[in-house]
Amino acid sequence: MRIVSGIQPTGNLHLGNYLGAIRNWVAMQDEWTAKGGECLYFLADLHAISMPHEPAVLRAGTREMVAALVACGIDPARSILFNQAQVPAHAELQWLLTGTARMGWLNRMTQWKDKAGKNREGASVALFTYPVLQAADVLLYQATHVPVGEDQKQHLELARDIAQKFNNDFAPKGENGEDAPVFTQPEAIIPPEAARIMSLRDGSAKMSKSDPSDMSRINLTDDADAIMQKVRKAKTDPEPLPSELAGLKERPEAANLVGIYAAMAGISQADVLAQFAGQGFGAFKPALGELLVEKLAPITARYRELRTDTAALDAILAQGAARARALAVPTLERAYEALGLLRG
Ligand code: TRP
């Protein structure tokens, strides 16, 4: 049982990143490693160059993401934490798989269509082959399970198709003529309640690091005073909280704050309403602020300390990459061999 997942490195991590993907990784690490499973988590820095980017921003963002992951509970002793660029086998296997992936399959990818938009001629080749690299990321390690958001489900399906076609076309037979597949078909794990956290200033926009207003988000660098102030100033409406979930419809800001409370307290939104029904935001906001401060304090403290410790962050990545490189060798060699490529 082996979990493999990647995340694009971005800087300025915030509550939305934590409740969206990172917290789920931590939960899976704790659950799987206790049962003897393995977790490989990586920063998809090679994927990040498929869109226009600034090298200095990518470099800083990669380190910040490592700091955030570790501060949030990814333990480099229990999980293998690394960045793709330090494990050349990802890029190598990707090339080998481009012989198997079909143009038609990639043309159907919705992320490609969305990101290239009307300007396909001007899109990078990397944006088009992005899902092949993603397939290499997981097939390289014989991943059995891949936690991803709903938006990445199609890319996982593609990885399965590539694995199947490659096995079918190239896998040699075993000694007794039995099938000896080169790649394992990975299963996607889509977390059921991957919380979608919205801006504190606009309940219809996602919480985002690129929102010009810093009041729209809770950063993982914010201290207790900043968190309390941002919650106090969060946009709301004049109504008290309803007793039923249906009463949050058409009230995106209220729904967002209730969602954040539920996610942080580890209870359902219905439970939050049961507790606060009939109360106004004058009562709910301080309760939410205090909950956030209490739960985030250990994370933000560790994050602020770690993110400037470049040497420690680079050492974590170097150590994770060495372990990943060792795990990647057998599958990569089998893929070369299956394709008839001499390796001496
Ligand atoms: N494409 C993923 C995203 O944007 C990141 C990613 C890259 C990934 N390689 C992966 C996720 C392999 C899971 C497995 O979220």
Side-chain angles (χ1 to χ4, degrees), residues 4-8 42 44 47 130 134 137-138 146-148 152 155:
V4 177
S5 195
I7 192 164
Q8 290 225 22
F42 63 88
H47 279 109
Y130 181 116
Q134 187 162 344
D137 294 337
V138 297
V146 181
V148 282
Q152 295 296 312
H155 286 165

Side-chain angles (χ1 to χ4, degrees), residues 4 6 42 44 46-47 82 84 90-91 93 97 130 132-143:
V4 177
F42 63 88
L46 293 181
H47 279 109
F82 64 102
Q84 281 167 322
H90 288 247
L93 184 60
L97 298 179
Y130 181 116
V132 186
L133 177 59
Q134 187 162 344
D137 294 337
V138 297
L139 300 183
L140 186 58
Y141 300 105
Q142 309 286 344

Side-chain angles (χ1 to χ4, degrees), residues 205-260:
K206 259 175 100 164
M207 187 175 283
S208 159
K209 67 159 186 159
S210 48
D211 191 315
S213 166
D214 193 58
M215 295 301 283
S216 71
R217 65 186 157 259
I218 290 172
N219 304 303
L220 291 187
T221 44
D222 287 344
D223 61 17
D225 287 347
I227 294 174
M228 290 304 286
Q229 198 205 16
K230 286 177 179 182
V231 174
R232 203 175 332 114
K233 297 237 168 113
K235 185 177 168 197
T236 44
D237 55 42
E239 303 297 318
L241 284 168
S243 55
E244 304 291 328
L245 279 178
L248 288 174
K249 276 212 183 107
E250 321 287 324
R251 296 178 66 187
E253 284 82 17
N256 186 39
L257 295 188
V258 169
I260 293 174

Side-chain angles (χ1 to χ4, degrees), residues 110-181:
T110 54
Q111 180 178 294
W112 156 248
K113 289 192 266 189
D114 290 349
K115 287 204 176 170
K118 289 199 174 64
N119 183 20
R120 290 202 182 181
E121 294 290 308
S124 73
V125 174
L127 190 63
F128 187 67
T129 57
Y130 181 116
V132 186
L133 177 59
Q134 187 162 344
D137 294 337
V138 297
L139 300 183
L140 186 58
Y141 300 105
Q142 309 286 344
T144 55
H145 295 83
V146 181
V148 282
E150 189 68 39
D151 64 325
Q152 295 296 312
K153 217 168 123 183
Q154 194 186 31
H155 286 165
L156 236 283
E157 289 294 321
L158 183 93
R160 292 171 60 88
D161 290 344
I162 291 175
Q164 188 178 30
K165 181 167 167 55
F166 188 103
N167 286 338
N168 202 48
D169 292 354
F170 302 114
K173 291 287 175 194
E175 269 168 32
N176 304 313
E178 76 280 11
D179 285 341

Side-chain angles (χ1 to χ4, degrees), residues 271-303:
D271 288 339
V272 178
L273 294 183
Q275 210 174 318
F276 290 97
Q279 300 192 38
F281 287 98
F284 183 64
K285 281 178 166 180
L288 175 60
E290 276 162 31
L291 176 69
L292 281 165
V293 168
E294 177 204 323
K295 299 275 181 182
L296 291 179
I299 293 176
T300 56
R302 183 104 179 86
Y303 181 56

